[in-house]
Amino acid sequence: MSTVEEVKILSKTFKGGIHPDYNKERTFARAIERLPASDKVIIPLRQHIGAACEPLVRKGDYVKLGQPIGESDASISCPVHASISGTVKAVEPRWNQNGTRELSVVIENDFEDRRFEECFPREKDMKRLSPEDIVDGARRYGIVGMGGAGFPLHAKLRAAIDSKVDTLIINGAECEPYVTCDHRAMIEYPRYIVGGILLIMRCLGLDGAILAIEKNKPDAINSMKITSEDTGITVAELETKYPQGGEKQLVYALTGREIPPGKLPTDIGCAVFNVDTCASLFRGFDTGLPLYQRVVTVSGDAVKKPKNLLTRIGTPYETLFEYCGGFEKEPYKIICGGPMMGLAQHSLEIPVVKNTSALLAFAEGNETIEENPICIRCGKCSRVCPMRLMPNYIFLYGSRGDLRECEKLNATDCIECGCCSYICPGKMHLVQAIRMVKGKLNRR
């Protein structure tokens, strides 16, 4: 069965899921604005899954825009580059968005944006690039997955080549509430996205790809259909449901294939990439510059003027909020990412990294915390779980320390989407509990 035939006959949805208030109206019609470079950037040497980079610079060094400042020989790693030109003021541990202190390079901006002379030359003819050229470029440009955990693109491409995948899926679903960075990217620079998709098609030896977009983004759908005409790229309109953008849910919705527990899309012949990851790949070959900036949605009811900002990697959160007019209300919680799967932050000095899709600030009253949550055995958590798990029982056995039963219930398959906690009438802290169980299982 061809890719196009699959897109036509399947329901384009998945089992379970929820329909939260999406609150995208705050920013979905706001064009991307270029955030002026800040006085300093803080660039962590690990912005990806895998081994951290070793610093290539030290305090007092002068660096240029696009210059490598961190590198690793590990197969699962990704180089890190300077996002401005200026003087290195420190190489020291700094707080990162995941709550850890990562070795980081602090650069003071000279506002000259002097370009590193040894960046790749611009590629004038993309059609002459070989698969090896594309994989090598993905590494040299420091590109990681822009929509999720930040898996190095070169390693993901290599795995897809070795697995001989037959279906390429591009994720433009963007199902998290409030987040609109991918939505705006598909409207404002569809040429880069299509160019990146074509590079990945060439790399994997495929004649077609499926670009998946939820139906609540008709302007993005129209933009991508026009730009991808006669390219072999099929735009699939997905039902609007959270977490439609989850990798396993996306694969099932478009192909009917289920990814077995503990397996990856490549194990069933599929490869999934985010739209902005594709754009970053094309932009690297087109400009010769590495991944040094990305679009970040800044929103939430505590933000005075929500926006979508093209932001340099390493820019402190404080700079983005100030550019959006500051806080209209005293923020009760600041989240990096979407409200369902994002991480609460404790400081505005934490920097934007390669997979920072959004910064959300919420005033008090948006979150209802139950001091004594109780399970009423309604089963709603199991009905909405997109992984078809039993969150209430994982919670029960986890609270008793019975990791063996948690393992039998496939607790490690939880994608931490938050559907169970969102729907629970007893206000159970299900996701947090399952996350702790997963951590204990992984440490055994």
Side-chain angles (χ1 to χ4, degrees), residues 54-323:
E54 295 295 326
L56 300 176
V57 296
R58 57 187 177 181
K59 184 178 179 179
D61 286 352
Y62 182 80
V63 297
K64 297 182 179 181
L65 173 64
Q67 179 176 335
I69 57 174
E71 179 64 278
S72 171
D73 293 331
S75 59
I76 307 298
S77 188
C78 206
V80 176
H81 304 80
S83 59
I84 58 174
S85 62
T87 304
V88 176
K89 304 304 289 185
V91 180
E92 61 189 19
R94 291 292 186 99
W95 287 110
N96 200 2
Q97 65 184 27
N98 61 7
T100 63
R101 291 174 68 85
E102 295 283 356
L103 189 63
S104 304
V105 178
V106 182
I107 307 172
E108 184 178 70
N109 199 348
D110 65 2
F111 295 99
E112 295 186 11
D113 271 350
R114 295 184 183 180
R115 179 168 167 165
F116 185 57
E117 296 87 351
E118 297 178 28
C119 285
F120 276 177
R122 295 181 61 180
E123 181 56 60
K124 296 180 180 179
D125 184 7
M126 303 285 182
K127 293 182 179 179
R128 75 175 189 173
L129 293 170
S130 69
E132 283 299 323
D133 292 334
I134 296 169
V135 172
D136 182 56
R139 181 173 186 119
R140 287 282 298 273
Y141 296 132
I143 301 172
V144 304
M146 307 281 279
F151 198 87
L153 177 60
H154 70 90
K156 198 168 181 177
L157 288 173
R158 176 66 63 197
I161 292 171
D162 293 343
S163 300
K164 297 185 169 82
V165 300
D166 57 44
T167 303
L168 172 59
I169 297 172
I170 308 302
N171 189 349
E174 197 170 52
C175 59
E176 273 267 15
Y178 290 93
V179 185
T180 57
C181 54
D182 286 349
H183 185 165
R184 293 307 311 176
M186 289 186 283
I187 294 170
E188 297 188 46
Y189 48 84
R191 183 179 72 88
Y192 292 132
I193 295 172
V194 170
I197 297 172
L198 293 175
L199 284 174
I200 295 176
M201 286 166 54
R202 173 179 291 274
C203 185
L204 303 185
L206 299 176
D207 296 326
I210 307 170
L211 172 55
I213 309 173
E214 282 192 318
K215 287 183 178 179
N216 63 353
K217 303 172 183 64
D219 45 0
I221 290 170
N222 185 56
S223 171
M224 295 309 304
K225 280 185 175 179
I226 292 172
T227 310
S228 62
E229 190 173 1
D230 298 325
T231 62
I233 300 169
T234 301
V235 177
E237 300 181 33
L238 299 170
E239 296 299 326
T240 302
K241 184 167 64 169
Y242 178 85
Q244 186 73 268
E247 204 169 54
K248 293 187 177 183
Q249 288 68 45
L250 201 59
V251 168
Y252 179 80
L254 293 171
T255 69
R257 305 177 195 176
E258 294 199 45
I259 302 173
K263 299 295 183 179
L264 298 171
T266 51
D267 293 311
I268 59 167
C270 296
V272 184
F273 300 91
N274 170 264
V275 287
D276 209 17
T277 305
C278 298
S280 297
L281 179 64
F282 180 83
R283 194 179 285 114
F285 283 106
D286 189 51
T287 66
L289 285 168
L291 175 55
Y292 74 96
Q293 59 185 348
R294 69 151 299 140
V295 181
V296 180
T297 298
V298 182
S299 190
D301 69 332
V303 178
K304 188 172 289 184
K305 297 177 181 178
K307 297 176 184 288
N308 295 294
L309 301 177
L310 184 60
T311 307
R312 306 277 183 122
I313 302 300
T315 304
Y317 293 169
E318 183 178 22
T319 303
L320 284 79
F321 285 120
E322 285 178 353
Y323 188 78

